[in-house]
Amino acid sequence: MEEGRSERTVPSRRWSDRKEKQMPRSEVDWPNEVTYLQILDADGKVDEDLEPDLPKETLIKLYKTMVLVREFDAARLRLQRQGEIGTFAPSTGQEAAQLGSICALKDSDWFVPSFRETAAQVWRGAKLENDLLYVAGFEEGMALPEDTRDLPISIPVGSQVPHAVGIAWASKMRDEDTVTMCYFGDGATSEGDFHEGLTFAGVFEVPVVFLNQNNHWAISVPRERQTASKTLAQKALAYGIPGVQVDGNDVLAVYAATKEAVDRARDGDGPTMIEALTYRMGIHTTADDPTKYREESEVEKWRERDPIDRMRVYLMDKGHMDEDDDEAWREEAKKEIKAAIERYRDNVPDDLGSMFEHTVAERDPYLERQRKELMDYWERAGVEVGH
Ligand SMILES: Cc1ncc(C[n+]2csc(CCOP(=O)(O)OP(=O)(O)O)c2C)c(N)n1
Ligand SMILES: [Mg+2]
């Protein structure tokens, strides 16, 4: 289902459609191709001609991580509803887009996430208990090991794009064999940071891969309202960067396209932007109610293309797993999450108000009121409050 072939009628803006007003013109020759890649169809049947050569262990690890992160989203939602953690952005529905891409990176490459890349973070070795600490409001959860090449999550939409380009530029100047992968959403493509980042990346041919997860919504703004551009991938072309579309719920297609882009970057052939067509199957964060702004029928349509279901069919067809494995792996995931929740609870810092400590030298009255409200909340909950 390529984007740009929707049933929606977008008024034509092409000059060539306005024959009566045209002066004589000649065509400008420019690279204007956007390709679309799908390897697993909506039912999980593979196109063997395009099937990438991934070892069985990697395929199984991909599937298990998809399942783990889906379960983790459900567990985090329960914890948030019970008041144990704050808000978070689920990966549900986007597991293939994140994991198919991140698995094409080496540990020595740079990973620059937005705020929705829990699946990719887990692949890179992030601990679930640290995520819980972070979404509960403790910066300790965001601490990254010294030697890591992962950036912390970035809340201001699109702000990580120039960071990633800067990192990639530095590695080019130092002649390092390093690729930087930068994640962002459809909404981020409307930000100035996107424009600045891609402009720079194109001109200086830096080794970066822009991984756009077009999940069709930016909170309540639908993709069609984000831009009149037919595809997001074509935006890259204006910066002199190849832009490709993939079925983002097809883990094999995402992997194949990303591997190609990573290899290009590593070979010194510059950046690529990948538009992974996927869908945010649930809430944006815990702070919104999607039933207020989108139709259930749309969600249902995407549920039929669930990336985990498609991967399961593929692995079963290949004889890599059976129903018993599936059940055992799902139980394993639940156990892992339960243990992580325990570790998180054991690690909650003594000073529950620490989140107010390191941003401003002096708290203004508004912030002070918030701090007091939180302290009162903890006290009412019977939790011993620090100072
Ligand atoms: C600069 C900025 N503006 C607004 C917000 C509030 N906000 C948070 S997420 C979001 C939508 C982002 O949409 P998209 O880029 O498609 O990413 P998605 O949430 O769908 O993963 C907005 C507007 C913000 N965090 N930063
Ligand atoms: Mg989005």
Side-chain angles (χ1 to χ4, degrees):
M1 187 173 52
E2 306 95 303
E3 198 102 304
R5 296 214 188 150
S6 69
E7 297 110 51
R8 235 184 100 84
T9 45
V10 180
S12 172
R13 287 171 177 78
R14 286 170 60 95
W15 283 105
S16 52
D17 292 342
R18 305 172 45 149
K19 295 269 185 265
E20 76 286 3
K21 288 190 185 149
Q22 262 192 357
M23 289 184 284
R25 288 166 200 273
S26 57
E27 288 280 326
V28 173
D29 181 23
W30 69 293
N32 61 359
E33 183 188 69
V34 174
T35 56
Y36 173 79
L37 178 66
Q38 182 188 64
I39 299 178
L40 283 181
D41 72 11
D43 299 323
K45 296 290 168 209
V46 69
D47 181 334
E48 283 171 8
D49 292 340
L50 298 173
E51 187 179 6
D53 187 18
L54 276 168
K56 178 181 168 185
E57 303 74 57
T58 309
L59 290 169
I60 290 176
K61 188 177 164 199
L62 281 168
Y63 181 75
K64 286 168 103 174
T65 311
M66 284 171 137
V67 167
L68 174 72
V69 174
R70 180 74 61 95
E71 291 287 345
F72 189 49
D73 275 348
R76 286 194 292 182
L77 186 60
R78 285 193 296 273
L79 289 174
Q80 191 276 337
R81 297 297 192 236
Q82 289 159 9
E84 260 201 79
I85 61 170
T87 195
F88 69 96
S91 301
T92 295
Q94 300 180 217
E95 296 89 347
Q98 292 182 29
L99 292 165
S101 51
I102 199 72
C103 78
L105 277 196
K106 293 183 186 172
D107 288 348
S108 52
D109 291 328
W110 286 92
F111 162 50
V112 182
S114 72
F115 45 79
R116 198 180 293 286
E117 276 74 57
T118 309
Q121 287 172 311
V122 168
W123 184 268
R124 295 282 286 186
K127 295 199 166 79
L128 302 185
E129 57 268 35
N130 283 354
D131 175 272
L132 294 174
L133 262 187
Y134 174 70
V135 294
F138 299 107
E139 289 302 320
E140 289 84 347
M142 183 71 94
L144 294 163
E146 277 294 315
D147 58 351
T148 188
R149 290 200 154 177
D150 298 6
L151 259 60
I153 73 169
S154 196
I155 298 288
V157 172
S159 57
Q160 71 280 16
V161 178
H163 303 163
V165 173
I167 292 170
W169 191 36
S171 56
K172 178 170 176 165
M173 289 171 90
R174 292 174 179 170
D175 208 16
E176 288 176 356
D177 179 32
T178 312
V179 175
T180 301
M181 187 135 70
C182 179
Y183 288 80
F184 53 90
D186 41 303
T189 63
S190 299
E191 292 285 354
D193 280 341
F194 170 83
H195 170 65
E196 290 163 24
L198 270 80
T199 298
F200 198 102
V203 171
F204 291 92
E205 296 184 301
V206 305
V208 64
V209 177
F210 297 110
L211 205 294
N212 173 244
Q213 290 186 80
N214 173 1
N215 66 4
H216 289 80
W217 290 89
I219 311 186
S220 56
V221 178
R223 159 64 184 84
E224 298 84 3
R225 286 281 171 190
Q226 195 61 247
T227 171
S229 186
K230 260 193 173 182
T231 69
L232 299 181
Q234 77 198 61
K235 291 194 170 207
L237 306 181
Y239 301 99
I241 295 173
V244 298
Q245 255 193 349
V246 292
D247 180 337
N249 285 5
D250 167 358
V251 71
L252 300 185
V254 176
Y255 168 74
T258 313
K259 180 75 173 69
E260 198 176 294
V262 166
D263 288 349
R264 280 194 66 236
R266 214 183 297 285
D267 290 347
D269 293 331
T272 306
M273 176 171 148
I274 297 169
E275 177 188 3
L277 292 168
T278 182
Y279 194 72
R280 196 191 78 217
M281 276 166 61
I283 49 177
H284 166 75
T285 63
T286 55
D288 73 320
D289 173 5
T291 63
K292 296 268 191 288
Y293 54 78
R294 67 185 190 186
E295 298 292 331
E296 181 54 25
S297 55
E298 179 185 297
V299 185
E300 197 44 53
K301 199 180 82 189
W302 281 92
R303 227 174 256 138
E304 286 163 16
R305 310 164 64 83
D306 188 317
I308 300 185
D309 294 345
R310 290 164 71 182
M311 177 74 163
R312 186 193 305 116
V313 170
Y314 170 64
L315 290 179
M316 288 202 179
D317 283 354
K318 276 190 95 68
H320 286 348
M321 67 182 273
D322 59 22
E323 294 289 350
D324 290 343
D325 292 324
D326 199 17
E327 209 170 302
W329 294 342
R330 280 167 194 273
E331 279 314 306
E332 219 175 89
K334 285 181 190 160
K335 274 200 194 129
E336 195 175 332
I337 291 165
K338 208 163 160 232
I341 294 173
E342 290 309 319
R343 286 195 296 275
Y344 148 66
R345 286 176 178 151
D346 290 344
N347 284 335
V348 169
D350 291 337
D351 182 1
L352 296 173
S354 65
M355 74 172 79
F356 292 93
E357 296 301 331
H358 307 295
T359 310
V360 288
E362 278 177 41
R363 283 188 286 277
D364 62 26
Y366 175 68
L367 209 53
E368 186 50 36
R369 199 167 65 237
Q370 283 195 3
R371 195 188 73 87
K372 199 169 168 324
E373 269 177 27
L374 183 70
M375 293 299 106
D376 291 348
Y377 171 83
W378 286 121
E379 268 186 26
R380 277 201 309 278
V383 177
E384 200 173 317
V385 176
H387 30 270

